[in-house]
Amino acid sequence: MRRGVEQTWQSETTVSDGAAVVTLFGELDIAAASSLRDVLQAAIARAPRVQVDLPRVSFIDSTVLNTFVNAHGHATDG
């Protein structure tokens, strides 16, 4: 996170029965993309199946959508 920029989102990852669930909260914008990429890659490394739970997200910008697309590509490269 950059100094002086308040983080507007949070994540929680749970793993059960071979699946990781990444629950996201708040506003996901360009400032979140890099950290979110790390969260998603860690979930992919922990479980063969990853689900992203978005009901508690109030905003997603196109940079974050691209982060989801790239994570999907990373997960299916295997």
Side-chain angles (χ1 to χ4, degrees):
M1 185 166 60
R2 295 179 304 205
R3 181 174 289 176
V5 175
E6 183 179 329
Q7 185 167 328
T8 60
W9 68 283
Q10 295 178 326
S11 69
E12 176 181 307
T13 302
T14 57
V15 179
S16 178
D17 298 325
V21 177
V22 178
T23 304
L24 300 173
F25 308 83
E27 297 179 3
L28 299 166
D29 60 14
I30 192 169
S34 178
S35 296
L36 178 59
R37 182 194 67 231
D38 295 342
V39 167
L40 295 173
Q41 287 180 350
I44 291 165
R46 292 177 66 191
R49 213 175 70 225
V50 176
Q51 175 182 335
V52 179
D53 184 29
L54 296 172
R56 294 171 194 91
V57 172
S58 57
F59 176 81
I60 298 175
D61 77 1
S62 60
T63 306
V64 172
L65 292 176
N66 188 53
T67 301
F68 289 138
V69 170
N70 288 334
H72 179 267
H74 176 75
T76 57
D77 277 347

